[in-house]
Amino acid sequence: MAKRKEDAPPAGSPAWMATFSDLMNLLLCFFVMLFAMSSIEEAKLEEFVAAMNNTFSIFDGGASAIGDGILISNGVSQLNELDQYINSTGKVADSDTDGEKLEEFEKSPEALEKMLEEQRLQENEERVEAIEEALRESEIGDDVETSFTAQYVKLSMNGGLLFDSGSAELKEEGEQVIGKVGLILERYGDGIIEIEGHTDNVPINSAQYPSNEELSSARALSVFYYLLDSTSLSPVSVKHAGMGERVPIADNGTPEGRSRNRRVEILIYNPSAQ
């Protein structure tokens, strides 16, 4: 009896493959639609990439191994300078720590201002040390008090050393002190220099100076004119102001306190603080 021929397999792909292909196309369309509807903020994306890089040591430039063209086999590195490549991942290098601090300052204006404040304070501390040395060399270290903040260095001179009571005309001794101070101020002429006159709270009512405001302003102006005549300082960078009795540094209830309050102060501002 002749054998019956087996049925030939149907032509084309199996039926399940067509269904599977349709499903894949639908999923592809679905994700394309999701991508098209989403919006990616470049700044957030960069922050995310930086965070992933620091946390998981993702390599720069999309590299997937340490060192292009370097053999890595059996889980053991064949690199001769492994430390260099480890540092490049951002986990060990000290420079990356500085970079993180810089990023922190960029994100926080308060932190940046604090960093600048500390830098100015250090600069003014170094400046006041140099000024004190120059005052000693000029033999007027005992006549000028110094102090500083992050904004300025302050030179303070007793009013009795510079002026007679109730007068705004510099005495001969006062001119000598101001002249030596002026030579020091020339080193800092690139910044703002401010001259302030101060008095105690004892009222004055003379024909020339009806109040302490006028007297303190006249004394600051006298120092201003003398500095311009005896130094190379520019009048553009030198200011003057009369403060009267408004900023005491001692108790006006005692003779010693009133003597300290009668003074002339010269403020040398840090150029970066202006």
Side-chain angles (χ1 to χ4, degrees), residues 3 16 28 67 100 111 122 145 148 156 171 174-175 180 185 194 214 236 247 258:
K3 293 183 178 179
W16 67 268
L28 176 62
E100 290 175 3
Q122 182 178 357
E145 295 182 5
F148 68 96
S156 182
K171 298 191 297 186
E175 289 181 347
K180 293 179 179 180
L185 294 178
E194 184 171 9
E214 282 85 354
V236 177
V247 192
R258 290 192 294 271

Side-chain angles (χ1 to χ4, degrees), residues 74-249:
N74 296 326
V76 179
S77 172
Q78 305 297 319
L79 302 177
N80 295 325
E81 298 179 356
L82 182 58
D83 289 342
Q84 178 181 354
Y85 290 101
I86 292 176
N87 287 343
S88 68
T89 66
K91 283 202 164 278
V92 179
D94 293 337
S95 60
D96 288 340
T97 302
D98 297 337
E100 290 175 3
K101 291 182 179 179
L102 182 58
E103 288 180 3
E104 179 183 352
F105 290 136
E106 291 175 348
K107 294 178 181 179
S108 173
E110 293 79 9
L112 178 58
E113 181 61 30
K114 182 179 179 181
M115 181 187 72
L116 294 176
E117 192 83 356
E118 292 175 353
Q119 179 180 349
R120 293 168 186 158
L121 195 63
Q122 182 178 357
E123 291 174 353
N124 285 345
E125 183 177 7
E126 295 173 355
R127 178 173 292 187
V128 78
E129 290 175 355
I131 291 175
E132 289 175 346
E133 178 64 25
L135 291 172
R136 287 191 293 269
E137 292 177 355
S138 301
E139 299 181 348
I140 56 172
D142 295 335
D143 298 325
V144 183
E145 295 182 5
T146 60
S147 60
F148 68 96
T149 68
Q151 305 300 316
Y152 54 75
V153 172
K154 181 191 296 184
L155 310 182
S156 182
M157 292 156 284
N158 187 271
L161 173 70
L162 305 179
F163 307 98
D164 289 326
S165 178
S167 172
E169 182 179 353
L170 280 169
K171 298 191 297 186
E172 181 178 354
E173 182 182 2
E175 289 181 347
Q176 294 176 359
V177 173
I178 295 297
K180 293 179 179 180
V181 169
L183 296 177
I184 298 174
L185 294 178
E186 286 181 328
R187 307 175 188 178
Y188 309 102
D190 56 335
I192 297 297
I193 297 173
E194 184 171 9
I195 304 166
E196 293 182 351
H198 298 265
T199 68
D200 57 26
N201 66 345
V202 177
I204 182 174
N205 189 12
S206 64
Q208 191 173 8
Y209 307 112
S211 70
N212 284 327
E213 292 289 336
E214 282 85 354
L215 177 60
S216 63
S217 297
R219 287 181 170 180
L221 193 58
S222 292
V223 175
F224 170 79
Y225 283 140
Y226 191 85
L227 286 175
L228 293 188
D229 291 340
S230 60
T231 69
S232 60
L233 292 171
S234 169
V236 177
S237 60
V238 183
K239 302 190 297 182
H240 57 87
M243 308 301 291
E245 62 193 61
R246 288 175 282 128
V247 192
I249 59 173

